[in-house]
Amino acid sequence: MTINAIIVDDEEYSRKSLYFLLEVHCPNVKVKGIAKSVSEAKGMLLAGNIDLVFLDIAMPIEDGFYLLPDIQKVNSSVIFTTAYDQYGLKALKANAIDYILKPIDIEELKQAVEKAIYLRKLTLNNLRGSESRNTRLQNLEENLNDLKKINKINLPNSNGFQILNVNQIVYVSADSNYSIFYLDNKESIIVSRHLKEYQELLEKSGFSRIHKSTIINLKHLSDYTNKNGLIVKLSDNSEHVVSRRRSSEFLDTVRHYFKR
C-alpha cells in the first residue's frame, strides 16, 4: 500500500535528509510536497489527498502545533519530527502516531511509517481508523492549548519508557545527575536526567520546586507549617523543607493553585 505524505520542517538539511531516508527505506511513502513553514504546508494540505504529515515542532513564527487543525480537517495523520527531546513528552501523551527524535533513526522511521500505513488501512476498511485518528488529533489540540501543561509524562529507562499520569507523582527529588520520581503507590522510578528539565515540564501542571533538590505535586500537599522553618507534608506522609529563597514563591503558588 502506498500513502501520500508531506514533510514540514524549517531546516533545509532536515527536509532533504528525511526525504532521502523515505525514498531509500520507505518506498511505500510518496512525498507529494516539502514545506518550510506552517503556512506553506496549509496550501499543500488543501491541494488534497495527503495521508500523512511529517511535522517538525520548533519552527519560527508558527510552531508545528498550529498545523494540527488543518491536518484534522483533511483527515491526515501526523508523525512528529524534532531535535528537542522535551517535546516528545507532549507528543507522546497526546497520542500522535509517533514521535521521532532527530537525527532520525532509520528503524524508528520505518516503524512509524508502518503504524501510519496500518491506520490508513483501518480507515479504508471501516470508520474506526478515521475515528481513532480524529480522536487523537482532537485530544492533541485540546491538550496543547497550553503547550507547557501536560497530563502524562514519559520516563525513559534502559528497556524503553514508562508513561505516568502526572497525578501519580507525589514528588521528584534530585540525586546528582538523576531524578527520582516518588509515586502515590509507594513505588519510585529513577531517571538519568536533571531535575531542572522536569521542573520546566511540570511547573504549569500543578508542581512547585520548593528546594534545589525537590519538586512537589501540589495535588498531594496535605499540610505545611512555618513553626521551625517552612515544612510541607505530602500525602505519602513524607516531609520536605522549603528553602528560604523559594518560600515566598511557593506560598504564592499554593494560594493560586487552591483558588482554582
Side-chain angles (χ1 to χ4, degrees), residues 86 88-90 92-94 150-156 161-169 172 181 183 189 191 193 197-203 205 207:
Q86 65 266 32
L89 303 170
K90 303 180 181 72
L92 184 60
K93 63 92 184 182
I150 61 173
N151 297 313
K152 292 184 180 179
I153 190 166
N154 166 21
L155 302 182
F161 56 83
Q162 182 172 352
I163 301 174
L164 295 177
N165 187 306
V166 295
N167 290 334
Q168 295 176 259
I169 303 167
V172 191
F181 287 74
L183 310 182
I189 301 172
V191 181
R193 290 185 178 175
E197 176 179 341
Y198 291 110
Q199 175 191 354
E200 294 171 351
L201 285 167
L202 295 168
E203 63 185 356
S205 300
F207 287 73

PDB file of all heavy atoms in Angstrom, residues 86 88-90 92-94 150-156 161-169 172 181 183 189 191 193 197-203 205 207:
ATOM      1  N   GLN A  86      12.324  17.446  24.802  1.00  0.00           N
ATOM      2  CA  GLN A  86      11.264  17.745  25.754  1.00  0.00           C
ATOM      3  C   GLN A  86       9.886  17.720  25.101  1.00  0.00           C
ATOM      4  O   GLN A  86       8.884  17.480  25.751  1.00  0.00           O
ATOM      5  CB  GLN A  86      11.482  19.110  26.420  1.00  0.00           C
ATOM      6  CG  GLN A  86      11.413  20.305  25.486  1.00  0.00           C
ATOM      7  CD  GLN A  86      12.766  20.716  24.987  1.00  0.00           C
ATOM      8  OE1 GLN A  86      13.633  19.881  24.817  1.00  0.00           O
ATOM      9  NE2 GLN A  86      12.960  22.010  24.752  1.00  0.00           N
ATOM     10  N   GLY A  88       8.889  15.495  23.111  1.00  0.00           N
ATOM     11  CA  GLY A  88       8.456  14.122  22.994  1.00  0.00           C
ATOM     12  C   GLY A  88       7.428  13.754  24.037  1.00  0.00           C
ATOM     13  O   GLY A  88       6.510  12.984  23.778  1.00  0.00           O
ATOM     14  N   LEU A  89       7.573  14.310  25.214  1.00  0.00           N
ATOM     15  CA  LEU A  89       6.625  14.033  26.285  1.00  0.00           C
ATOM     16  C   LEU A  89       5.235  14.497  25.898  1.00  0.00           C
ATOM     17  O   LEU A  89       4.248  13.814  26.111  1.00  0.00           O
ATOM     18  CB  LEU A  89       7.085  14.740  27.566  1.00  0.00           C
ATOM     19  CG  LEU A  89       8.486  14.382  28.042  1.00  0.00           C
ATOM     20  CD1 LEU A  89       8.915  15.331  29.158  1.00  0.00           C
ATOM     21  CD2 LEU A  89       8.538  12.953  28.525  1.00  0.00           C
ATOM     22  N   LYS A  90       5.150  15.668  25.309  1.00  0.00           N
ATOM     23  CA  LYS A  90       3.855  16.213  24.929  1.00  0.00           C
ATOM     24  C   LYS A  90       3.274  15.445  23.753  1.00  0.00           C
ATOM     25  O   LYS A  90       2.095  15.121  23.722  1.00  0.00           O
ATOM     26  CB  LYS A  90       3.997  17.695  24.589  1.00  0.00           C
ATOM     27  CG  LYS A  90       4.574  18.531  25.723  1.00  0.00           C
ATOM     28  CD  LYS A  90       4.675  19.983  25.300  1.00  0.00           C
ATOM     29  CE  LYS A  90       5.280  20.826  26.399  1.00  0.00           C
ATOM     30  NZ  LYS A  90       6.704  20.585  26.590  1.00  0.00           N
ATOM     31  N   LEU A  92       3.953  12.380  22.718  1.00  0.00           N
ATOM     32  CA  LEU A  92       3.618  11.003  23.056  1.00  0.00           C
ATOM     33  C   LEU A  92       2.330  10.929  23.853  1.00  0.00           C
ATOM     34  O   LEU A  92       1.444  10.128  23.570  1.00  0.00           O
ATOM     35  CB  LEU A  92       4.758  10.368  23.844  1.00  0.00           C
ATOM     36  CG  LEU A  92       4.588   8.889  24.196  1.00  0.00           C
ATOM     37  CD1 LEU A  92       4.445   8.052  22.940  1.00  0.00           C
ATOM     38  CD2 LEU A  92       5.765   8.412  25.024  1.00  0.00           C
ATOM     39  N   LYS A  93       2.201  11.764  24.877  1.00  0.00           N
ATOM     40  CA  LYS A  93       0.987  11.697  25.697  1.00  0.00           C
ATOM     41  C   LYS A  93      -0.232  12.160  24.910  1.00  0.00           C
ATOM     42  O   LYS A  93      -1.359  11.840  25.258  1.00  0.00           O
ATOM     43  CB  LYS A  93       1.164  12.527  26.970  1.00  0.00           C
ATOM     44  CG  LYS A  93       1.368  14.021  26.768  1.00  0.00           C
ATOM     45  CD  LYS A  93       0.082  14.816  26.798  1.00  0.00           C
ATOM     46  CE  LYS A  93       0.338  16.279  26.493  1.00  0.00           C
ATOM     47  NZ  LYS A  93      -0.892  17.081  26.558  1.00  0.00           N
ATOM     48  N   ALA A  94      -0.001  12.919  23.847  1.00  0.00           N
ATOM     49  CA  ALA A  94      -1.127  13.401  23.058  1.00  0.00           C
ATOM     50  C   ALA A  94      -1.546  12.394  22.001  1.00  0.00           C
ATOM     51  O   ALA A  94      -2.444  12.655  21.217  1.00  0.00           O
ATOM     52  CB  ALA A  94      -0.763  14.720  22.384  1.00  0.00           C
ATOM     53  N   ILE A 150       0.988  19.496  30.850  1.00  0.00           N
ATOM     54  CA  ILE A 150       0.918  18.115  30.414  1.00  0.00           C
ATOM     55  C   ILE A 150       0.126  17.296  31.426  1.00  0.00           C
ATOM     56  O   ILE A 150       0.059  17.633  32.599  1.00  0.00           O
ATOM     57  CB  ILE A 150       2.314  17.500  30.214  1.00  0.00           C
ATOM     58  CG1 ILE A 150       3.102  17.495  31.517  1.00  0.00           C
ATOM     59  CG2 ILE A 150       3.071  18.223  29.120  1.00  0.00           C
ATOM     60  CD1 ILE A 150       4.411  16.766  31.435  1.00  0.00           C
ATOM     61  N   ASN A 151      -0.467  16.220  30.939  1.00  0.00           N
ATOM     62  CA  ASN A 151      -1.233  15.327  31.798  1.00  0.00           C
ATOM     63  C   ASN A 151      -0.527  14.002  32.018  1.00  0.00           C
ATOM     64  O   ASN A 151      -0.768  13.319  33.005  1.00  0.00           O
ATOM     65  CB  ASN A 151      -2.616  15.070  31.188  1.00  0.00           C
ATOM     66  CG  ASN A 151      -3.431  16.331  31.078  1.00  0.00           C
ATOM     67  OD1 ASN A 151      -3.508  17.099  32.026  1.00  0.00           O
ATOM     68  ND2 ASN A 151      -4.023  16.564  29.924  1.00  0.00           N
ATOM     69  N   LYS A 152       0.323  13.637  31.066  1.00  0.00           N
ATOM     70  CA  LYS A 152       1.089  12.400  31.182  1.00  0.00           C
ATOM     71  C   LYS A 152       2.545  12.680  30.876  1.00  0.00           C
ATOM     72  O   LYS A 152       2.879  13.627  30.161  1.00  0.00           O
ATOM     73  CB  LYS A 152       0.538  11.327  30.235  1.00  0.00           C
ATOM     74  CG  LYS A 152      -0.843  10.844  30.625  1.00  0.00           C
ATOM     75  CD  LYS A 152      -1.313   9.711  29.719  1.00  0.00           C
ATOM     76  CE  LYS A 152      -2.697   9.241  30.137  1.00  0.00           C
ATOM     77  NZ  LYS A 152      -3.197   8.150  29.264  1.00  0.00           N
ATOM     78  N   ILE A 153       3.410  11.847  31.419  1.00  0.00           N
ATOM     79  CA  ILE A 153       4.835  12.063  31.250  1.00  0.00           C
ATOM     80  C   ILE A 153       5.518  10.737  30.911  1.00  0.00           C
ATOM     81  O   ILE A 153       5.134   9.682  31.411  1.00  0.00           O
ATOM     82  CB  ILE A 153       5.453  12.695  32.522  1.00  0.00           C
ATOM     83  CG1 ILE A 153       6.879  13.155  32.267  1.00  0.00           C
ATOM     84  CG2 ILE A 153       5.357  11.758  33.725  1.00  0.00           C
ATOM     85  CD1 ILE A 153       7.416  14.073  33.357  1.00  0.00           C
ATOM     86  N   ASN A 154       6.490  10.814  30.035  1.00  0.00           N
ATOM     87  CA  ASN A 154       7.202   9.645  29.549  1.00  0.00           C
ATOM     88  C   ASN A 154       8.567   9.586  30.231  1.00  0.00           C
ATOM     89  O   ASN A 154       9.398  10.471  30.053  1.00  0.00           O
ATOM     90  CB  ASN A 154       7.341   9.778  28.028  1.00  0.00           C
ATOM     91  CG  ASN A 154       8.341   8.812  27.442  1.00  0.00           C
ATOM     92  OD1 ASN A 154       8.653   7.792  28.048  1.00  0.00           O
ATOM     93  ND2 ASN A 154       8.853   9.139  26.263  1.00  0.00           N
ATOM     94  N   LEU A 155       8.803   8.538  31.035  1.00  0.00           N
ATOM     95  CA  LEU A 155      10.073   8.403  31.751  1.00  0.00           C
ATOM     96  C   LEU A 155      10.915   7.317  31.084  1.00  0.00           C
ATOM     97  O   LEU A 155      10.552   6.138  31.121  1.00  0.00           O
ATOM     98  CB  LEU A 155       9.824   8.051  33.220  1.00  0.00           C
ATOM     99  CG  LEU A 155       8.972   9.040  34.018  1.00  0.00           C
ATOM    100  CD1 LEU A 155       8.859   8.588  35.468  1.00  0.00           C
ATOM    101  CD2 LEU A 155       9.529  10.450  33.930  1.00  0.00           C
ATOM    102  N   PRO A 156      12.028   7.690  30.460  1.00  0.00           N
ATOM    103  CA  PRO A 156      12.848   6.700  29.755  1.00  0.00           C
ATOM    104  C   PRO A 156      13.594   5.783  30.720  1.00  0.00           C
ATOM    105  O   PRO A 156      13.967   6.172  31.822  1.00  0.00           O
ATOM    106  CB  PRO A 156      13.831   7.564  28.961  1.00  0.00           C
ATOM    107  CG  PRO A 156      13.928   8.836  29.744  1.00  0.00           C
ATOM    108  CD  PRO A 156      12.567   9.046  30.352  1.00  0.00           C
ATOM    109  N   PHE A 161      10.481   2.981  27.881  1.00  0.00           N
ATOM    110  CA  PHE A 161       9.964   4.096  28.676  1.00  0.00           C
ATOM    111  C   PHE A 161       8.744   3.649  29.443  1.00  0.00           C
ATOM    112  O   PHE A 161       8.122   2.632  29.141  1.00  0.00           O
ATOM    113  CB  PHE A 161       9.615   5.300  27.789  1.00  0.00           C
ATOM    114  CG  PHE A 161       8.650   4.998  26.681  1.00  0.00           C
ATOM    115  CD1 PHE A 161       7.289   4.973  26.906  1.00  0.00           C
ATOM    116  CD2 PHE A 161       9.113   4.741  25.404  1.00  0.00           C
ATOM    117  CE1 PHE A 161       6.396   4.694  25.895  1.00  0.00           C
ATOM    118  CE2 PHE A 161       8.230   4.463  24.373  1.00  0.00           C
ATOM    119  CZ  PHE A 161       6.872   4.435  24.624  1.00  0.00           C
ATOM    120  N   GLN A 162       8.405   4.433  30.448  1.00  0.00           N
ATOM    121  CA  GLN A 162       7.195   4.202  31.233  1.00  0.00           C
ATOM    122  C   GLN A 162       6.371   5.475  31.204  1.00  0.00           C
ATOM    123  O   GLN A 162       6.894   6.577  31.400  1.00  0.00           O
ATOM    124  CB  GLN A 162       7.543   3.827  32.673  1.00  0.00           C
ATOM    125  CG  GLN A 162       6.329   3.530  33.550  1.00  0.00           C
ATOM    126  CD  GLN A 162       6.720   2.981  34.907  1.00  0.00           C
ATOM    127  OE1 GLN A 162       7.884   2.677  35.154  1.00  0.00           O
ATOM    128  NE2 GLN A 162       5.763   2.866  35.804  1.00  0.00           N
ATOM    129  N   ILE A 163       5.079   5.343  30.949  1.00  0.00           N
ATOM    130  CA  ILE A 163       4.203   6.501  30.879  1.00  0.00           C
ATOM    131  C   ILE A 163       3.409   6.624  32.170  1.00  0.00           C
ATOM    132  O   ILE A 163       2.785   5.665  32.617  1.00  0.00           O
ATOM    133  CB  ILE A 163       3.239   6.398  29.687  1.00  0.00           C
ATOM    134  CG1 ILE A 163       4.030   6.284  28.386  1.00  0.00           C
ATOM    135  CG2 ILE A 163       2.323   7.615  29.627  1.00  0.00           C
ATOM    136  CD1 ILE A 163       3.177   6.034  27.170  1.00  0.00           C
ATOM    137  N   LEU A 164       3.462   7.808  32.771  1.00  0.00           N
ATOM    138  CA  LEU A 164       2.749   8.057  34.019  1.00  0.00           C
ATOM    139  C   LEU A 164       1.753   9.189  33.839  1.00  0.00           C
ATOM    140  O   LEU A 164       2.025  10.166  33.139  1.00  0.00           O
ATOM    141  CB  LEU A 164       3.722   8.471  35.126  1.00  0.00           C
ATOM    142  CG  LEU A 164       4.758   7.466  35.615  1.00  0.00           C
ATOM    143  CD1 LEU A 164       5.632   8.151  36.654  1.00  0.00           C
ATOM    144  CD2 LEU A 164       4.093   6.238  36.196  1.00  0.00           C
ATOM    145  N   ASN A 165       0.615   9.073  34.488  1.00  0.00           N
ATOM    146  CA  ASN A 165      -0.245  10.224  34.676  1.00  0.00           C
ATOM    147  C   ASN A 165       0.421  11.101  35.736  1.00  0.00           C
ATOM    148  O   ASN A 165       0.866  10.594  36.767  1.00  0.00           O
ATOM    149  CB  ASN A 165      -1.630   9.762  35.147  1.00  0.00           C
ATOM    150  CG  ASN A 165      -2.623  10.902  35.186  1.00  0.00           C
ATOM    151  OD1 ASN A 165      -2.389  11.938  35.806  1.00  0.00           O
ATOM    152  ND2 ASN A 165      -3.747  10.709  34.527  1.00  0.00           N
ATOM    153  N   VAL A 166       0.518  12.409  35.504  1.00  0.00           N
ATOM    154  CA  VAL A 166       1.250  13.269  36.437  1.00  0.00           C
ATOM    155  C   VAL A 166       0.622  13.268  37.823  1.00  0.00           C
ATOM    156  O   VAL A 166       1.300  13.559  38.819  1.00  0.00           O
ATOM    157  CB  VAL A 166       1.368  14.712  35.905  1.00  0.00           C
ATOM    158  CG1 VAL A 166       2.202  14.764  34.647  1.00  0.00           C
ATOM    159  CG2 VAL A 166       0.003  15.338  35.686  1.00  0.00           C
ATOM    160  N   ASN A 167      -0.670  12.934  37.914  1.00  0.00           N
ATOM    161  CA  ASN A 167      -1.314  12.876  39.230  1.00  0.00           C
ATOM    162  C   ASN A 167      -0.748  11.767  40.113  1.00  0.00           C
ATOM    163  O   ASN A 167      -0.919  11.782  41.328  1.00  0.00           O
ATOM    164  CB  ASN A 167      -2.823  12.684  39.069  1.00  0.00           C
ATOM    165  CG  ASN A 167      -3.506  13.908  38.504  1.00  0.00           C
ATOM    166  OD1 ASN A 167      -3.018  15.024  38.661  1.00  0.00           O
ATOM    167  ND2 ASN A 167      -4.622  13.704  37.826  1.00  0.00           N
ATOM    168  N   GLN A 168      -0.090  10.779  39.496  1.00  0.00           N
ATOM    169  CA  GLN A 168       0.521   9.690  40.254  1.00  0.00           C
ATOM    170  C   GLN A 168       1.788  10.141  40.990  1.00  0.00           C
ATOM    171  O   GLN A 168       2.215   9.489  41.933  1.00  0.00           O
ATOM    172  CB  GLN A 168       0.900   8.530  39.321  1.00  0.00           C
ATOM    173  CG  GLN A 168      -0.253   7.840  38.648  1.00  0.00           C
ATOM    174  CD  GLN A 168       0.234   6.785  37.669  1.00  0.00           C
ATOM    175  OE1 GLN A 168       0.267   6.992  36.466  1.00  0.00           O
ATOM    176  NE2 GLN A 168       0.662   5.643  38.181  1.00  0.00           N
ATOM    177  N   ILE A 169       2.370  11.228  40.540  1.00  0.00           N
ATOM    178  CA  ILE A 169       3.642  11.686  41.096  1.00  0.00           C
ATOM    179  C   ILE A 169       3.387  12.487  42.373  1.00  0.00           C
ATOM    180  O   ILE A 169       2.659  13.478  42.361  1.00  0.00           O
ATOM    181  CB  ILE A 169       4.408  12.567  40.084  1.00  0.00           C
ATOM    182  CG1 ILE A 169       4.627  11.800  38.776  1.00  0.00           C
ATOM    183  CG2 ILE A 169       5.732  13.035  40.677  1.00  0.00           C
ATOM    184  CD1 ILE A 169       5.079  12.683  37.638  1.00  0.00           C
ATOM    185  N   VAL A 172       9.356  14.734  43.243  1.00  0.00           N
ATOM    186  CA  VAL A 172      10.543  14.343  42.489  1.00  0.00           C
ATOM    187  C   VAL A 172      11.751  14.919  43.207  1.00  0.00           C
ATOM    188  O   VAL A 172      11.748  16.095  43.585  1.00  0.00           O
ATOM    189  CB  VAL A 172      10.508  14.876  41.040  1.00  0.00           C
ATOM    190  CG1 VAL A 172      11.621  14.238  40.210  1.00  0.00           C
ATOM    191  CG2 VAL A 172       9.147  14.643  40.405  1.00  0.00           C
ATOM    192  N   PHE A 181      11.492   9.781  40.917  1.00  0.00           N
ATOM    193  CA  PHE A 181      10.057  10.036  40.988  1.00  0.00           C
ATOM    194  C   PHE A 181       9.442   9.140  42.064  1.00  0.00           C
ATOM    195  O   PHE A 181       9.567   7.913  42.002  1.00  0.00           O
ATOM    196  CB  PHE A 181       9.395   9.752  39.641  1.00  0.00           C
ATOM    197  CG  PHE A 181       9.685  10.788  38.598  1.00  0.00           C
ATOM    198  CD1 PHE A 181      10.929  10.858  37.990  1.00  0.00           C
ATOM    199  CD2 PHE A 181       8.711  11.714  38.228  1.00  0.00           C
ATOM    200  CE1 PHE A 181      11.203  11.813  37.028  1.00  0.00           C
ATOM    201  CE2 PHE A 181       8.984  12.678  37.270  1.00  0.00           C
ATOM    202  CZ  PHE A 181      10.227  12.730  36.667  1.00  0.00           C
ATOM    203  N   LEU A 183       5.993   7.886  43.724  1.00  0.00           N
ATOM    204  CA  LEU A 183       4.615   7.775  43.251  1.00  0.00           C
ATOM    205  C   LEU A 183       3.636   7.500  44.385  1.00  0.00           C
ATOM    206  O   LEU A 183       4.039   7.092  45.479  1.00  0.00           O
ATOM    207  CB  LEU A 183       4.518   6.670  42.200  1.00  0.00           C
ATOM    208  CG  LEU A 183       5.554   6.730  41.068  1.00  0.00           C
ATOM    209  CD1 LEU A 183       5.311   5.600  40.084  1.00  0.00           C
ATOM    210  CD2 LEU A 183       5.532   8.084  40.375  1.00  0.00           C
ATOM    211  N   ILE A 189      10.837   5.687  40.758  1.00  0.00           N
ATOM    212  CA  ILE A 189      11.455   5.470  39.454  1.00  0.00           C
ATOM    213  C   ILE A 189      12.640   6.416  39.325  1.00  0.00           C
ATOM    214  O   ILE A 189      12.507   7.622  39.548  1.00  0.00           O
ATOM    215  CB  ILE A 189      10.452   5.730  38.317  1.00  0.00           C
ATOM    216  CG1 ILE A 189       9.238   4.806  38.453  1.00  0.00           C
ATOM    217  CG2 ILE A 189      11.123   5.528  36.957  1.00  0.00           C
ATOM    218  CD1 ILE A 189       8.129   5.132  37.475  1.00  0.00           C
ATOM    219  N   VAL A 191      15.430   8.192  36.948  1.00  0.00           N
ATOM    220  CA  VAL A 191      15.618   8.588  35.559  1.00  0.00           C
ATOM    221  C   VAL A 191      16.938   9.357  35.444  1.00  0.00           C
ATOM    222  O   VAL A 191      17.230  10.226  36.261  1.00  0.00           O
ATOM    223  CB  VAL A 191      14.450   9.473  35.078  1.00  0.00           C
ATOM    224  CG1 VAL A 191      14.642   9.850  33.617  1.00  0.00           C
ATOM    225  CG2 VAL A 191      13.125   8.753  35.268  1.00  0.00           C
ATOM    226  N   ARG A 193      18.146  11.931  34.172  1.00  0.00           N
ATOM    227  CA  ARG A 193      18.010  13.294  33.651  1.00  0.00           C
ATOM    228  C   ARG A 193      17.976  14.268  34.825  1.00  0.00           C
ATOM    229  O   ARG A 193      17.583  13.912  35.927  1.00  0.00           O
ATOM    230  CB  ARG A 193      16.739  13.440  32.812  1.00  0.00           C
ATOM    231  CG  ARG A 193      16.818  12.699  31.488  1.00  0.00           C
ATOM    232  CD  ARG A 193      15.622  12.944  30.619  1.00  0.00           C
ATOM    233  NE  ARG A 193      15.751  12.260  29.354  1.00  0.00           N
ATOM    234  CZ  ARG A 193      14.811  12.214  28.422  1.00  0.00           C
ATOM    235  NH1 ARG A 193      13.658  12.814  28.638  1.00  0.00           N
ATOM    236  NH2 ARG A 193      14.995  11.568  27.300  1.00  0.00           N
ATOM    237  N   GLU A 197      15.083  19.835  34.151  1.00  0.00           N
ATOM    238  CA  GLU A 197      14.291  19.504  32.963  1.00  0.00           C
ATOM    239  C   GLU A 197      12.848  19.198  33.354  1.00  0.00           C
ATOM    240  O   GLU A 197      11.902  19.659  32.703  1.00  0.00           O
ATOM    241  CB  GLU A 197      14.891  18.300  32.248  1.00  0.00           C
ATOM    242  CG  GLU A 197      14.074  17.837  31.057  1.00  0.00           C
ATOM    243  CD  GLU A 197      14.694  16.661  30.336  1.00  0.00           C
ATOM    244  OE1 GLU A 197      15.903  16.424  30.518  1.00  0.00           O
ATOM    245  OE2 GLU A 197      13.956  15.972  29.602  1.00  0.00           O
ATOM    246  N   TYR A 198      12.664  18.459  34.440  1.00  0.00           N
ATOM    247  CA  TYR A 198      11.318  18.099  34.864  1.00  0.00           C
ATOM    248  C   TYR A 198      10.606  19.272  35.532  1.00  0.00           C
ATOM    249  O   TYR A 198       9.382  19.363  35.483  1.00  0.00           O
ATOM    250  CB  TYR A 198      11.367  16.872  35.768  1.00  0.00           C
ATOM    251  CG  TYR A 198      11.768  15.642  34.987  1.00  0.00           C
ATOM    252  CD1 TYR A 198      13.004  15.042  35.175  1.00  0.00           C
ATOM    253  CD2 TYR A 198      10.920  15.115  34.019  1.00  0.00           C
ATOM    254  CE1 TYR A 198      13.383  13.941  34.430  1.00  0.00           C
ATOM    255  CE2 TYR A 198      11.286  14.019  33.266  1.00  0.00           C
ATOM    256  CZ  TYR A 198      12.520  13.433  33.467  1.00  0.00           C
ATOM    257  OH  TYR A 198      12.880  12.349  32.720  1.00  0.00           O
ATOM    258  N   GLN A 199      11.373  20.167  36.137  1.00  0.00           N
ATOM    259  CA  GLN A 199      10.759  21.380  36.674  1.00  0.00           C
ATOM    260  C   GLN A 199      10.087  22.171  35.553  1.00  0.00           C
ATOM    261  O   GLN A 199       8.935  22.604  35.672  1.00  0.00           O
ATOM    262  CB  GLN A 199      11.806  22.262  37.348  1.00  0.00           C
ATOM    263  CG  GLN A 199      11.246  23.603  37.833  1.00  0.00           C
ATOM    264  CD  GLN A 199      12.336  24.572  38.269  1.00  0.00           C
ATOM    265  OE1 GLN A 199      13.519  24.218  38.309  1.00  0.00           O
ATOM    266  NE2 GLN A 199      11.948  25.792  38.581  1.00  0.00           N
ATOM    267  N   GLU A 200      10.793  22.333  34.440  1.00  0.00           N
ATOM    268  CA  GLU A 200      10.254  23.097  33.305  1.00  0.00           C
ATOM    269  C   GLU A 200       9.036  22.415  32.696  1.00  0.00           C
ATOM    270  O   GLU A 200       8.106  23.075  32.241  1.00  0.00           O
ATOM    271  CB  GLU A 200      11.349  23.286  32.262  1.00  0.00           C
ATOM    272  CG  GLU A 200      12.492  24.164  32.745  1.00  0.00           C
ATOM    273  CD  GLU A 200      13.674  24.177  31.793  1.00  0.00           C
ATOM    274  OE1 GLU A 200      13.668  23.364  30.837  1.00  0.00           O
ATOM    275  OE2 GLU A 200      14.603  24.973  32.009  1.00  0.00           O
ATOM    276  N   LEU A 201       9.019  21.097  32.699  1.00  0.00           N
ATOM    277  CA  LEU A 201       7.905  20.363  32.118  1.00  0.00           C
ATOM    278  C   LEU A 201       6.664  20.379  33.010  1.00  0.00           C
ATOM    279  O   LEU A 201       5.536  20.406  32.527  1.00  0.00           O
ATOM    280  CB  LEU A 201       8.316  18.909  31.855  1.00  0.00           C
ATOM    281  CG  LEU A 201       9.223  18.677  30.653  1.00  0.00           C
ATOM    282  CD1 LEU A 201       9.797  17.271  30.694  1.00  0.00           C
ATOM    283  CD2 LEU A 201       8.457  18.897  29.358  1.00  0.00           C
ATOM    284  N   LEU A 202       6.888  20.371  34.320  1.00  0.00           N
ATOM    285  CA  LEU A 202       5.785  20.154  35.251  1.00  0.00           C
ATOM    286  C   LEU A 202       5.259  21.413  35.930  1.00  0.00           C
ATOM    287  O   LEU A 202       4.195  21.384  36.551  1.00  0.00           O
ATOM    288  CB  LEU A 202       6.220  19.153  36.334  1.00  0.00           C
ATOM    289  CG  LEU A 202       6.519  17.730  35.852  1.00  0.00           C
ATOM    290  CD1 LEU A 202       7.207  16.931  36.963  1.00  0.00           C
ATOM    291  CD2 LEU A 202       5.250  17.033  35.397  1.00  0.00           C
ATOM    292  N   GLU A 203       5.975  22.511  35.824  1.00  0.00           N
ATOM    293  CA  GLU A 203       5.619  23.683  36.622  1.00  0.00           C
ATOM    294  C   GLU A 203       4.253  24.265  36.273  1.00  0.00           C
ATOM    295  O   GLU A 203       3.624  24.926  37.101  1.00  0.00           O
ATOM    296  CB  GLU A 203       6.705  24.757  36.508  1.00  0.00           C
ATOM    297  CG  GLU A 203       6.906  25.308  35.110  1.00  0.00           C
ATOM    298  CD  GLU A 203       8.082  26.271  35.046  1.00  0.00           C
ATOM    299  OE1 GLU A 203       8.668  26.539  36.110  1.00  0.00           O
ATOM    300  OE2 GLU A 203       8.413  26.740  33.938  1.00  0.00           O
ATOM    301  N   SER A 205       1.729  22.376  35.536  1.00  0.00           N
ATOM    302  CA  SER A 205       0.770  21.287  35.755  1.00  0.00           C
ATOM    303  C   SER A 205       0.556  21.002  37.235  1.00  0.00           C
ATOM    304  O   SER A 205       0.273  19.876  37.625  1.00  0.00           O
ATOM    305  CB  SER A 205       1.259  20.028  35.041  1.00  0.00           C
ATOM    306  OG  SER A 205       1.384  20.248  33.660  1.00  0.00           O
ATOM    307  N   PHE A 207       2.821  21.610  39.851  1.00  0.00           N
ATOM    308  CA  PHE A 207       4.024  21.233  40.603  1.00  0.00           C
ATOM    309  C   PHE A 207       4.788  22.488  41.013  1.00  0.00           C
ATOM    310  O   PHE A 207       4.720  23.517  40.347  1.00  0.00           O
ATOM    311  CB  PHE A 207       4.926  20.338  39.767  1.00  0.00           C
ATOM    312  CG  PHE A 207       4.401  18.929  39.588  1.00  0.00           C
ATOM    313  CD1 PHE A 207       3.330  18.679  38.753  1.00  0.00           C
ATOM    314  CD2 PHE A 207       4.973  17.867  40.269  1.00  0.00           C
ATOM    315  CE1 PHE A 207       2.831  17.389  38.587  1.00  0.00           C
ATOM    316  CE2 PHE A 207       4.491  16.581  40.119  1.00  0.00           C
ATOM    317  CZ  PHE A 207       3.415  16.340  39.270  1.00  0.00           C
TER     318      PHE A 207
END
